[in-house]
Amino acid sequence: MPQTGERGLTAREVVQREQNGQTNKVKTQSSRSIGQIVRANVFTLFNGIILAAMIMVLLTGSWRDSVFGFVIIINTGIGIVTELKAKRTLDKLSILVASNYVVRRDGEDVEVQHDQIVLDDLLWIRSGDQVPADARIVATWGLELDESMLTGESRTVRKKEGDQVYSGSTAVSGMALTRVEAVGEHSYAATLTAQAKVYKKTVSDLTRGINTILKAMTFLVVPLCVLLIWSQVRAVGGWDHAIATGEWRAAVVSAVAGVVGMIPEGLVLLTSVNFALAAMRLARKNTLVQELESVETLARVDCLNLDKTGTITDGGIAFSRIVLLEEPVEQGGPGASAGNGGAGSARAAKQALYDLANEEQPNGTGQAVLAGLRDEGFSAGAVDARVPFSSARKWSAVVEHGSLWYMGAPEVLVSAFSGDWSGVLDQVNGYAADGNRVLLIAKADAGLAADPKDFAASPRIIHGARPVALVLCSERIRPDAEETLAWFREQGVRCRVISGDNPVTVGAIARKVRLTGDERPVAMDARDLPSDVNELARVLENVDVLGRVLPDQKKAIVEALHTQGHVVAMTGDGVNDALALKEADLGIAMGNAASATKAVAQVVLVDSKFSHLPDVVARGRQVMANMERVASLFLVKTVYSALISLAVVLTGIPYPYLPRHITYIGALTIGMPAFILALAPNTRRYIPGFLRRVVHFALPGGVATAASVLMAAWFLPGVMGWNVDDSAADLADLRATCAIILFVMGVFVLGRVAQPLNGWRGILVAVFAAAGVIGMFIPFVRGFFALVVPQGRLIPATLIAMGGSVAVFFLCLWIVPMIWRIIARAIATR
């Protein structure tokens, strides 16, 4: 460490601050706690309804009719296990550098851990360190910081004595001795992210639609369950007779059959399974889904805000090339030259550039130059004297072989040279407009250069020096950025780049990756944005690139897009992105992001590859499109169960089937086929109106199924001579026959949902139809689910009922949509 007279805190002062809690400990939570995950998955409306129904059936002693309740355990278990797995993965991710830090105490340098730093400590910040606490510089030896995690500005910042340094920034070159001014939760980074620590549940259109159905059913379930029990008790002779004979149990079981049928419990389970499988598939591609519902949100995204640094670029600087200046400019681009006197001059300029960059602590640009020239075979040359780069001078210099070479900011060097070099500045501006970082190399003849030692002791710009070459560097663009952005354009997702960098630079990078295809992206300085949200929304419609964006502005931009009905996804990696990620419908954090940023994001790209996003969106679209298909299948059961239950209450007939019947039929015509259909490939774009379309599809099938079962329940006893009021055997035969009709109608509905039936879809319907029939002939299955194989004169009666059901089905497919359209037009014309 450099010599310093500073002694720092004494041991007693350190202990005192530790006792006062003035240490650098920060309570961090990268994701929800285990308790929060368990509560969110256990205490749901669906679980409450099914659990209550299951307890009612168990109280009657008919455990076979309560098997539907196991779906609670399966559904809850899937949600908890998947989210806990995500939590464990996320908790392992961290940006903080694990190395210890050096502080000066009692006049000696001491190595301590991050949490052991206390207020007023003298802290050494070395190249490569991440600043652990807010501090002020006491002395500096060329310290240069990367503050992009805090500000979004990718350029490094040179610090001088008295400057403030903030936690979260990274030292890229030099070192400094600083005095700690804020620790722990009082630091700048912790204060900025405090607002982002509140957990925000993802809003899922699919889950919202299912919950709407559940809430509607909740208002029906309780009164309808009471009415069903009352009607079934009356059907067996009243309360006194039912209690005396124990037939109240059958009444309760019958009532639960209606209640369970109205709840699309398989849809909730399948949604969880589908979300979980999608999350696991994405995990194989290093994409961590922290909330299951966010998979579906991916399908609805129509606006993607991209942070430049870390998303389109990887945050590093790459050396591009040297452009020699003494030859005429070629056609085809600003400043392209023929070679400044041939290969010898080019090699001399590159060797000088290498030596200029080869400082003891080179900054990011210097490191990029050295890496690029090493690849070309250059190495360190003999340097007689060196003037290191200074943020105050904006240039560096070396003396070698009697020649003096400069490297620095073009406008600073040119302004000090004699002669008119405006043409050089025009070339510099042209390259800068293309997103390049431009440095100038200049040379003074040996006769103009002073003695090397004198020049190093008193550095200055010699007026007779002349520009030799331009050094072009640029941010490293991810190789997959252009292809990924092209995919989003094809899918109708509007992408915008939002950055803390200069809008000209960001706009140039946006052009290189073809952000807007063949059109030139429109760039704007965020300092010119209006503060009114509605006005901001109007401005954003015509802007593709925003530079100089502050953290609060990123959040405001998301809010403005929401006012126009957009579903917004936001990518980011820095603390400055946390508030915007939390406000967005879908926050996407890079794997190397700040811990606070990852905590508020719903999706984490673990390996920080932007190219994973198309897979993420495509998986979300598959889930949403397929779940809309199978949701229609489940809702048919809800519709016919509600209609049958209402008819049973109004007409006072025994309930036409048992809970175990609906479990068997639902598994073969809804549950298992729906699971297969939900996993089928599907790239359809999201279309708003999920619930309306599902209801529109489900009504005809539900009405047809209810009408078919009720017709059999009303008329079949008279045809067959059954006494369902007094004979348990006759009632069992009626219920078994109604279950057959229900199964046939279920196969018809499955066939309609699975269309087109060519290929594997037709085979799917045929296999499950055959499985249902075969199960009736297996003794154990027939006995457990109370099934009956039609025999004797029951065969023609069943066939007649089935024929009538088919006719009713196709009639309802024609009539119900017609009535729906009439009602819709009547409502629209009011």
Side-chain angles (χ1 to χ4, degrees), residues 274-287:
N274 217 359
F275 282 158
L277 289 176
M280 291 176 185
R281 286 177 177 177
L282 290 172
R284 296 192 193 106
K285 297 185 178 182
N286 289 315
T287 301

Side-chain angles (χ1 to χ4, degrees), residues 318-330 333-340 345-346 348-354 356 365 369 373 376 405-414 417 421-434 436-443 466-474:
F319 168 68
S320 299
R321 60 192 172 108
I322 282 183
V323 178
L324 302 179
L325 295 173
E326 292 184 352
E327 294 296 324
V329 177
E330 288 184 345
S337 84
N340 188 27
S345 298
K350 288 183 178 181
Q351 181 62 58
L353 174 61
Y354 188 100
L356 284 161
T365 302
V369 168
L373 292 179
E376 296 184 25
W405 294 86
Y406 293 94
M407 179 180 70
E411 62 276 12
V412 174
L413 291 174
V414 167
F417 296 161
W421 300 103
S422 57
V424 172
L425 292 179
D426 290 340
Q427 292 178 242
V428 169
N429 293 333
Y431 282 115
D434 281 338
N436 293 285
R437 297 185 182 186
V438 186
L439 297 174
L440 177 68
I441 299 177
K443 181 182 180 182
R466 68 184 186 281
V468 172
L470 298 178
V471 181
L472 304 185
C473 294
S474 61

Side-chain angles (χ1 to χ4, degrees), residues 401-546:
H401 306 301
S403 296
L404 173 59
W405 294 86
Y406 293 94
M407 179 180 70
E411 62 276 12
V412 174
L413 291 174
V414 167
S415 64
F417 296 161
S418 57
D420 181 11
W421 300 103
S422 57
V424 172
L425 292 179
D426 290 340
Q427 292 178 242
V428 169
N429 293 333
Y431 282 115
D434 281 338
N436 293 285
R437 297 185 182 186
V438 186
L439 297 174
L440 177 68
I441 299 177
K443 181 182 180 182
D445 292 333
L448 296 175
D451 181 74
K453 295 182 180 180
D454 293 339
F455 180 79
S458 180
R460 61 196 180 280
I461 298 176
I462 296 177
H463 300 297
R466 68 184 186 281
V468 172
L470 298 178
V471 181
L472 304 185
C473 294
S474 61
E475 290 189 69
R476 284 199 301 265
I477 296 175
R478 294 185 181 275
D480 49 20
E482 183 174 342
E483 180 182 354
T484 305
L485 290 170
W487 186 91
F488 278 113
R489 285 199 308 274
E490 293 170 0
Q491 298 299 314
V493 178
R494 173 77 179 275
C495 295
R496 291 180 179 85
V497 180
I498 299 176
S499 173
D501 275 352
N502 187 303
V504 175
T505 303
V506 183
I509 291 176
R511 288 197 302 275
K512 289 182 179 180
V513 296
R514 292 171 51 83
L515 176 70
T516 53
D518 295 331
E519 298 180 4
R520 186 183 181 90
V522 179
M524 183 176 180
D525 194 316
R527 290 173 293 187
D528 299 327
L529 289 175
S531 57
D532 179 72
V533 173
N534 295 322
E535 180 63 25
L536 175 59
R538 286 191 289 271
V539 171
L540 289 175
E541 289 299 319
N542 301 313
V543 175
D544 304 300
V545 175
L546 285 165

